[in-house]
Amino acid sequence: ATAREREANPGALPFFDAYEAEVSLSAGDDDRALALAQKALDTLPATEVLLRARTAAVAFRAAPDERPEKWSFLEQSLRLDGGLFRRLGWTIPVRLELPDDATGAALKELLEASPRLQVGDSGVVVRMVKRGKEEAICLYGPASDAELQCGTARFRETTGTEPSSLEPTERAVRFAEALHLEALALALGLTGNDLSSLDGSTTTSGQAVHDKLQRVFDEGVLPVP
């Protein structure tokens, strides 16, 4: 309130709305939190990726279940920053769509035990997908079915063997690791175009950052060390 009184720059108002939305949520005033969060999302600069993700998460938590836009807020938050809910100590509601086989069953057990996920009948959809020779585990929006975040199951790098030779439990572990280390990680843009602006296009997992940095070097944006 003091900052609002002292700040003469109207461009600061969306930031105050975002901060106050989270304060209102913490204070138990969900209606005010939702109203302020929606207002902030309409006016915050697009480059404020992390704050927009956080504000969308506040809107999701504040919105009643019957509000149709509730899931859209969750999608927006996870698309921008897959690691936000973990840092806030909030679980992500998910619905599992896994293969009806031994690997799918083992992965279901692992994900149900994850402190980051709340497995149920509604929420972000979790699927295993094939991308050429690679296999990944991805989050899809509950409202749009759009792909939000993905993690690649790196079988050869972690086990030194072909995926087909692994036991179902070991395959499930690799998928669970990919989900937690890549899909549910802090968003960090590192392409040549993103050096000046965080855009949420990759994650801080070791392999993902290595891949992005290599691309930056290949583009000649940074000198190779």
Side-chain angles (χ1 to χ4, degrees):
T2 301
R4 285 184 187 274
E5 291 177 359
R6 295 179 178 178
E7 181 57 64
N9 181 4
L13 295 179
F15 295 86
F16 296 147
D17 290 337
Y19 304 150
E20 191 174 348
E22 188 165 346
V23 171
S24 299
L25 181 69
S26 298
D29 191 346
D30 288 354
D31 291 341
R32 181 164 178 76
L34 178 58
L36 285 168
Q38 288 180 298
K39 184 179 177 183
L41 290 170
D42 288 340
T43 50
L44 276 170
T47 53
E48 291 294 331
V49 173
L50 295 183
L51 184 56
R52 291 186 65 84
R54 193 175 182 108
T55 305
V58 169
F60 166 72
R61 295 274 291 195
D65 292 342
E66 62 271 15
R67 291 286 290 268
E69 67 269 33
K70 181 181 180 72
W71 296 114
S72 296
F73 292 132
L74 179 60
E75 285 191 25
Q76 182 176 351
S77 180
L78 290 177
R79 183 182 295 111
L80 295 173
D81 185 354
L84 175 64
F85 275 65
R86 177 182 61 82
R87 301 197 306 278
L88 290 173
W90 299 346
T91 56
I92 301 172
V94 299
R95 176 166 55 89
L96 305 181
E97 292 186 359
L98 304 177
D100 186 18
D101 56 20
T103 299
L107 181 56
K108 180 176 182 290
E109 286 190 22
L110 292 172
L111 298 185
E112 287 178 336
S114 170
R116 300 194 195 180
L117 307 176
Q118 179 184 340
V119 178
D121 296 329
S122 60
V124 176
V125 180
V126 179
R127 298 187 187 119
M128 299 160 60
V129 297
K130 293 211 67 167
R131 293 178 167 175
K133 294 183 179 180
E134 292 188 330
E135 296 182 71
I137 184 166
C138 298
L139 303 178
Y140 293 87
S144 67
D145 203 41
E147 184 179 293
L148 305 178
Q149 300 285 349
C150 281
T152 302
R154 304 184 185 278
F155 298 107
R156 296 176 184 82
E157 294 92 331
T158 54
T159 65
T161 58
E162 293 295 319
S164 58
S165 65
L166 294 176
E167 293 294 326
T169 301
E170 183 65 23
R171 284 176 52 80
V173 168
R174 299 284 82 80
F175 279 109
E177 287 179 345
L179 177 68
H180 288 76
L181 295 179
E182 292 189 33
L184 302 180
L186 174 65
L188 183 62
L190 287 174
T191 65
N193 292 331
D194 300 332
L195 288 176
S196 61
S197 174
L198 189 62
D199 77 342
S201 62
T202 186
T203 67
T204 55
S205 71
Q207 185 61 43
V209 168
H210 177 274
D211 295 344
K212 282 287 187 177
L213 280 174
Q214 186 60 54
R215 190 181 309 167
V216 171
F217 292 139
D218 293 341
E219 292 175 357
V221 178
L222 294 177
V224 178

